[in-house]
Amino acid sequence: MNDETAPPEPVRAGRGWCVVRIRRMGKKRRRSGSGRTSKWVYGVLGVLAVGAVAVTAVAMQPRTPETTIAWNRDHTALPVDSPEPIPVRTQLVDVMPRLRDMSRPFNIVTLGDSTGAGRQTWTALTGEWIGQKYGRTVKGSQWDIHSEPNGYGPVGWNLSEGEGAPVTYWNGSSAAKDAVYSLENLDELAPLPGESVDLVFINHGHNHADYELLPEARDLIEEATARFPNAAIVVILQNPEREASPHRETQRMGVAKLGRWAQQQGYPTIDVYTPFSEQDVEALLDDTLYHPTLEGYKFWAGVVEKALDDADPSAS
C-alpha cells in the first residue's frame, strides 16, 4: 500500500477517540508540513483530554438524595436549599389569634376528599375543639355530592355553643373527588367573599393516580391563595393507606412530593401521615383501606388541633 492510499490512523484521548486523516503527500511537502500537523494533532488531543477529565469529574459528583428534593411547578427537581427565596405566606400564627376577638366572624373552608366528609370526621371534631378553646359558637355546613346539583344541605351542624360572632365552617370535603373537582367547584364550595376567609384546609391525596396529586393540588392551592388573600392555606399531608391497598405506594409518593413542594413554597403544612405511620395503621383504618375508624379520626383531629394550638398557645 503506498503513501497516497494509507488508511486513517485512530488517535485516542481519555475515554473517547477520533480519527485524523493525514493525507500522504510527497516527501518534501510532508517534511515542510509535519510541524504544523503535529501541533494540530496535539491540540486535538489536549482538548479531548480536558473534556474527558471534565466528564469524569461531573460523573463522580455525589447525587442529591431523594429526601432533599422538592418539586417546582414544572415537576422538575428543586433542592430544598435552593437559592430561590421562600415566598411569604400567611401562617397559622397570623390567623388563629383572630379567634380571640369575639366581635369578629371567623370563616373556615375545607377543600378535600371523603376523609373529611361527615359529622364524625376530623373536620367536625376540630370545629368542636375550636369552639371549646375560644368559647365561640361554631356552625358547620357539609357539602353534598348526592344532591343535584351538588351543594350544601339545608340543615347545618351546631358544633359548639358560645359567645360573640359565629365561627362558620364550610366543609367542602367531597367523597370520591379529587383536587380538580374542588378547583372546578370553588365558587360553590366557598360561597362567601374571599377576603372574609381566615383558614383553608387543603385535604387531598387518596383519589389521585400516579404523579397527579402534586400538579392538581398545586393548581388548587395557588387559586385558593389568590382568592383568599387573608387566609392561611394549610396543606394536610393525609394518612397512609393499609398494607392491602394497591394504591398505598402511589399515595405515599404523592403525599411526600406535595409536602416537599408546599414547604418549599412556604405554605403551612400539617403532617398527619407520619404520626399515623408511627401507630398501628391497621387498627386506625377501616375496611375501605384508607378511611379512618372513629378512633382514627380522633387521632387525626388531635394532630390538627395540636398544630392550631401551637399557633396560639396563650389563648384560654
Side-chain angles (χ1 to χ4, degrees):
M1 184 175 294
N2 58 37
D3 285 348
E4 294 294 335
T5 60
E9 298 179 1
V11 179
R12 302 182 182 272
R15 298 173 62 182
W17 61 276
C18 66
V19 174
V20 178
R21 292 181 178 273
I22 303 176
R23 185 179 179 185
R24 305 296 184 176
M25 309 296 294
K27 291 182 180 180
K28 183 176 180 180
R29 183 167 183 178
R30 186 168 62 248
R31 282 196 302 269
S32 64
S34 60
R36 290 192 299 271
T37 301
S38 298
K39 290 179 181 179
W40 186 83
V41 172
Y42 291 145
V44 172
L45 288 172
V47 171
L48 290 174
V50 171
V53 171
V55 170
T56 302
V58 171
M60 293 177 66
Q61 290 292 323
R63 299 192 178 189
T64 305
E66 184 181 358
T67 54
T68 65
I69 294 298
W71 295 81
N72 66 15
R73 30 184 318 116
D74 298 321
H75 308 190
T76 55
L78 179 68
V80 170
D81 59 355
S82 167
E84 294 184 16
I86 297 177
V88 177
R89 309 290 186 188
T90 303
Q91 302 293 316
L92 285 170
V93 294
D94 300 318
V95 303
M96 293 305 292
R98 298 175 191 171
L99 282 160
R100 300 186 206 171
D101 183 355
M102 293 293 185
S103 66
R104 184 187 184 284
F106 191 93
N107 293 298
I108 306 171
V109 174
T110 293
L111 304 171
D113 57 28
S114 57
T115 59
R119 183 64 179 81
Q120 301 300 317
T121 67
W122 69 270
T123 50
L125 295 175
T126 298
E128 291 178 354
W129 176 87
I130 289 174
Q132 293 167 6
K133 173 169 178 164
Y134 292 93
R136 302 286 295 267
T137 295
V138 180
K139 298 184 179 297
S141 296
Q142 173 63 58
W143 184 259
D144 182 10
I145 65 165
H146 300 295
S147 63
E148 192 58 47
N150 297 171
Y152 286 105
V155 179
W157 300 336
N158 291 317
L159 299 176
S160 177
E161 294 294 336
E163 301 177 357
V167 175
T168 304
Y169 200 142
W170 298 92
N171 187 16
S173 300
S174 307
K177 302 299 184 181
D178 57 16
V180 174
Y181 177 88
S182 293
L183 181 58
E184 291 175 345
N185 294 275
L186 192 53
D187 288 340
E188 292 75 27
L189 290 167
L192 64 168
E195 296 80 5
S196 68
V197 177
D198 299 283
L199 184 58
V200 177
F201 292 114
I202 305 293
N203 182 49
H204 281 289
H206 291 291
N207 296 324
H208 293 77
D210 291 352
Y211 310 111
E212 289 182 356
L213 175 59
L214 175 59
E216 293 177 356
R218 181 198 65 216
D219 291 346
L220 174 62
I221 292 167
E222 291 179 342
E223 178 61 26
T225 302
R227 188 168 304 203
F228 311 122
N230 300 318
I233 312 298
V234 182
V235 180
I236 302 291
L237 305 181
Q238 290 188 337
N239 64 295
E241 301 184 0
R242 294 179 68 174
E243 290 282 354
S245 171
H247 189 249
R248 178 184 172 91
E249 184 62 14
T250 295
Q251 190 262 349
R252 182 194 68 79
M253 293 178 62
V255 167
K257 292 176 183 178
L258 176 60
R260 289 193 293 268
W261 176 85
Q263 292 172 5
Q264 182 67 27
Q265 293 299 312
Y267 289 104
T269 61
I270 298 180
D271 182 4
V272 177
Y273 189 100
T274 300
F276 260 82
S277 299
E278 295 169 348
Q279 305 297 314
D280 181 1
V281 174
E282 302 295 316
L284 292 176
L285 303 179
D286 64 19
D287 292 340
T288 64
L289 304 181
Y290 69 92
H291 287 101
T293 61
L294 180 57
E295 289 303 312
Y297 276 125
K298 289 179 180 179
F299 182 77
W300 186 323
V303 174
V304 175
E305 290 159 14
K306 183 180 185 308
L308 302 184
D309 193 44
D310 289 347
D312 189 21
S314 61
S316 58

